[in-house]
Amino acid sequence: MSGALLGYAANMSDPPLVAFTVGAVSDFQIDPGSAAAEVTFANNGTYAGTGNIEGFSGNWISPTSAAGNAYDIRMTVNTGTTPSGSTTGIWLGLGTTRTWTISQAGIGTTASNVTVEIRRVSTLAVLSDGGGAFDMTASVTA
């Protein structure tokens, strides 16, 4: 599922626009091997979901110069495996790049359905939910 955004900046006096669109992130590999699907929201204002089959990328804030400590991010696991990397289920400052990874070593599949939200620290107002839940999948087949 992919989704859209909240808020906009009509002119320079408006606050920065926090908006992003996400979709499935999938990495499929052949055994012997390992697979990893990764989602990163960087403190420079960019984001990416990387896998060899499906992914996404863009800027989570415009202008990107407004990125950083004024914003928090939270990844919530709706179903499946909890990704490694940054903590899930709590608000984390975006002054630091945040990365979550689903991985699979050997034959099998690891999957998670997650939601990402960004809020302004000063008001605690959630500015974008990225359009809702999306899937992260890492799979190794014979």
Side-chain angles (χ1 to χ4, degrees), residues 37-137:
E38 185 174 273
V39 173
T40 300
F41 278 74
N43 60 346
N44 68 0
T46 63
Y47 71 100
T50 54
N52 69 343
I53 302 295
E54 296 177 286
F56 52 80
S57 64
N59 297 329
W60 61 263
I61 191 167
S62 180
T64 56
S65 60
N69 292 329
Y71 300 91
D72 288 335
I73 189 167
R74 176 173 64 186
M75 176 182 275
T76 302
V77 177
N78 303 313
T79 60
T81 301
T82 299
S84 62
S86 296
T87 304
T88 60
I90 64 169
W91 290 103
L92 304 169
L94 271 169
T96 299
T97 294
R98 304 299 177 173
T99 301
W100 297 271
T101 305
I102 289 288
S103 58
Q104 175 66 39
I107 295 174
T109 299
T110 303
S112 185
N113 180 273
V114 299
T115 301
V116 173
E117 302 166 283
I118 294 177
R119 73 178 181 185
R120 188 180 320 279
V121 171
S122 62
T123 64
L124 303 182
V126 175
L127 302 174
S128 179
D129 64 7
F134 63 97
D135 294 319
M136 297 176 69
T137 306

Side-chain angles (χ1 to χ4, degrees), residues 22-41:
V22 294
V25 181
S26 303
D27 191 55
F28 291 90
Q29 302 292 333
I30 304 294
D31 191 47
S34 60
E38 185 174 273
V39 173
T40 300
F41 278 74

